[in-house]
Amino acid sequence: WLKYRGHLENISNNLLITAINSENKEMNTVKNQETGAYGGVPDVARQYRDAGTNWVVFGDENYGEGSSREHAALEPRFLGGRAIIVKSFARIHETNLKKQGMLPLTFNNKADYELVQPTDKVAITGLEDFLPGKALNCVLSHADGSSDTIVLDHTFNEQQIEWFKAGSALNRMKEKAAASS
């Protein structure tokens, strides 16, 4: 897909523009946690990407419903997103995120969604021992200095974990092809 990478800038202008922000109840208006300025989701994501700041999305039920096309999974990856953490996924979208090297994760306890605050710094732990069926942890460091650790589930199999470690399914295919030549 790198051959057509220039098109991703345009496609990515649609990233989460109709999602409702839990902080301000508005569509396509999020706060850049580095600068304090508000902007459109794609614009803030680009600012994070360009600054080398990793970011994650927190969402509710059936995330990705109606987003079976790969663009919806390409956009967050292209703009520097690392994980999508939700109560549940639309099945096809979850697989597309995995193919793009993203981490689609679900709350082990859906009530933990309420612990997430808009200003949280997020650390996903357990990736060094990433295995099928083994939960990951997420440390939410709140602005007041407190923190919560929540458990996140995933549906990755061994092949999909290889995709994640390689950065995407295509990257893994390239690695395998190079190793066999």
Side-chain angles (χ1 to χ4, degrees), residues 62-70 72 89-93 96:
N62 206 23
Y63 180 91
E65 178 182 22
S67 299
S68 62
R69 297 192 64 209
E70 288 186 345
F89 281 100
R91 180 185 52 81
I92 294 171
H93 185 64
N96 285 341

Side-chain angles (χ1 to χ4, degrees), residues 15 55 71-82 84 97 102:
L15 177 71
W55 54 271
H71 291 168
L74 280 167
E75 293 166 3
R77 177 180 182 236
F78 178 71
L79 294 176
R82 295 294 179 249
I84 309 292
L97 288 167
M102 296 287 295

Side-chain angles (χ1 to χ4, degrees), residues 80 129 136:
D129 299 316
L136 300 170

Side-chain angles (χ1 to χ4, degrees), residues 150-169:
I150 60 176
V151 177
L152 301 175
D153 295 326
H154 66 83
T155 60
F156 281 81
N157 61 36
E158 288 182 21
Q159 179 183 40
Q160 293 166 337
I161 289 172
E162 289 179 10
W163 297 347
F164 170 73
K165 289 179 177 179
S168 72

Side-chain angles (χ1 to χ4, degrees), residues 1-170:
W1 68 270
L2 287 175
K3 180 177 177 181
Y4 302 102
R5 189 172 160 178
H7 301 291
L8 287 174
E9 280 295 344
N10 292 331
I11 293 167
S12 296
N13 287 329
N14 295 321
L15 177 71
L16 299 171
I17 59 174
T18 59
I20 304 296
N21 181 342
S22 67
E23 180 183 28
N24 58 21
K25 310 298 184 229
E26 294 183 29
M27 286 194 304
N28 198 30
T29 304
V30 295
K31 185 177 184 178
N32 181 322
Q33 298 300 319
E34 305 286 322
T35 67
Y38 282 85
V41 176
D43 299 324
V44 172
R46 276 187 187 87
Q47 292 165 10
Y48 286 157
R49 178 197 63 196
D50 295 347
T53 302
N54 296 328
W55 54 271
V56 302
V57 171
F58 287 97
D60 209 328
E61 298 280 358
N62 206 23
Y63 180 91
E65 178 182 22
S67 299
S68 62
R69 297 192 64 209
E70 288 186 345
H71 291 168
L74 280 167
E75 293 166 3
R77 177 180 182 236
F78 178 71
L79 294 176
R82 295 294 179 249
I84 309 292
I85 303 169
V86 298
K87 293 181 181 178
S88 67
F89 281 100
R91 180 185 52 81
I92 294 171
H93 185 64
E94 179 182 17
T95 301
N96 285 341
L97 288 167
K98 290 176 187 178
K99 288 177 185 176
Q100 294 307 321
M102 296 287 295
L103 274 174
L105 304 168
T106 55
F107 292 96
N108 177 274
N109 177 359
K110 291 182 181 185
D112 286 345
Y113 175 81
E114 301 303 325
L115 297 174
V116 179
Q117 300 172 19
T119 56
D120 284 349
K121 301 286 183 187
V122 177
I124 298 171
T125 62
L127 290 171
E128 59 281 347
D129 299 316
F130 193 18
L131 295 170
K134 184 177 179 185
L136 300 170
N137 288 319
C138 177
V139 179
L140 304 170
S141 298
H142 308 301
D144 67 4
S146 67
S147 67
D148 287 296
T149 300
I150 60 176
V151 177
L152 301 175
D153 295 326
H154 66 83
T155 60
F156 281 81
N157 61 36
E158 288 182 21
Q159 179 183 40
Q160 293 166 337
I161 289 172
E162 289 179 10
W163 297 347
F164 170 73
K165 289 179 177 179
S168 72
L170 286 176

